Amino acid sequence: MGLRFETRRSDSPWVDTVWTCTSAEVTAMTSVAGVRLGLVFWEQDGRAYAGVTGPETRTGTAPVPEGAHFMGIEFAVGTSLRTVPTAALVDGGVELPDTTRRTFRLDGGRWETPGPDDAEALVERLVRAGAVVRDPLVAEVLRGRPPAVSGRTVERRFRAATGLTRGAVRQIERARTAAELLAAGDRAADVVAKLDYFDEPHLARALRAYVGRTARQLREGTGGAIALDVDQRLTS
């Protein structure tokens, strides 16, 4: 049965997506590079867990707790935690201590564990408390607005907010978009043109490095469980 995902976009400027997932008859999945910080909550065998996930710079294989139920919040790019430098979370994460089915501990406070419909309310409380912060310059640059500071300053602030360079953010986001387009049925040549890859071999290399799938596997839905919304339902 694999992984059953449901993901929705968020209207909050602090949140990119909120997702849920149930694992069944799968013990490992292909992880996919990503540029966002996340909060994840899961239950397995009657026990509750919570953790912070960091950006991932490459694809790999990740274990999946069998029979677990997950709920996650993916923050907008440039959003970070006050007490944990994002650079320290790159290609990793931390499990939060003292988690129960109702509450979890973060930044010295105890917070109510959210459901999928309560994610934005939790984030707003964290923002008001100063536990979640962001650099607006990152969002402005990603939207194509010319920065009023030097390129060196932009790069320094990108690294501080995301743990990654501006170039790495662009490459990873582009590869994820390419994977979604291919899974939706787009031809590789069309994806190259849409996303401004140099040619199909460059696209293939990006998919191998960041997604762990070939264009054919994405189109055919083969290769096993993957941590990407390629054939799962996406709502708004």
Side-chain angles (χ1 to χ4, degrees):
M1 296 174 63
L3 301 177
R4 298 191 298 274
F5 276 92
E6 184 172 332
T7 304
R8 67 171 174 83
R9 301 289 186 192
S10 175
D11 293 330
S12 168
W14 299 88
V15 179
D16 183 64
T17 57
V18 178
W19 57 272
T20 59
C21 176
T22 300
S23 65
E25 299 178 12
V26 60
T27 58
M29 67 177 179
T30 299
S31 63
V32 177
V35 301
R36 292 170 176 81
L37 194 75
L39 284 176
V40 61
F41 307 89
W42 71 100
E43 291 187 19
Q44 184 187 27
D45 298 329
R47 183 178 174 185
Y49 304 84
V52 180
T53 58
E56 295 184 66
T57 61
R58 57 188 178 273
T59 185
T61 301
V64 177
E66 189 171 2
H69 302 274
F70 300 85
M71 196 283 286
I73 301 169
E74 290 288 313
F75 290 102
V77 180
T79 302
S80 57
L81 300 178
R82 173 175 58 183
T83 58
V84 184
T86 305
L89 297 170
V90 173
D91 292 322
V94 294
E95 185 175 326
L96 298 176
D98 196 18
T99 299
T100 71
R101 296 186 69 180
R102 294 187 175 184
T103 63
F104 68 101
R105 188 173 295 280
L106 178 68
D107 196 13
R110 181 161 286 282
W111 310 89
E112 185 176 348
T113 301
D117 296 331
D118 307 318
E120 286 85 356
L122 168 65
V123 173
E124 287 296 330
R125 290 194 293 271
L126 292 170
V127 170
R128 288 197 298 270
V132 170
V133 296
R134 67 178 176 187
D135 188 338
L137 175 69
V138 172
E140 291 175 4
V141 171
L142 291 175
R143 284 195 294 265
R145 296 181 182 176
V149 295
S150 69
R152 180 176 295 181
T153 297
V154 170
E155 194 63 41
R156 176 177 57 79
R157 289 172 62 170
F158 254 84
R159 283 184 176 274
T162 70
L164 306 170
T165 66
R166 181 168 38 159
V169 169
R170 179 178 180 273
Q171 291 171 17
I172 291 169
E173 289 283 81
R174 185 168 62 159
R176 291 174 68 99
T177 301
E180 292 166 359
L181 291 172
L182 289 162
D186 283 26
R187 297 184 307 121
D190 294 334
V191 173
V192 167
K194 285 180 181 179
L195 300 182
D196 199 28
Y197 279 99
F198 183 76
D199 55 19
E200 290 189 35
H202 280 79
L203 169 63
R205 284 195 290 272
L207 293 174
R208 285 197 301 271
Y210 299 125
V211 182
R213 291 287 189 275
T214 65
R216 180 174 180 177
Q217 286 175 320
L218 289 163
R219 284 195 303 270
E220 296 177 351
T222 58
I226 186 170
L228 183 69
D229 290 306
V230 291
D231 59 356
Q232 296 90 357
R233 186 169 62 182
L234 183 64
T235 61
S236 58

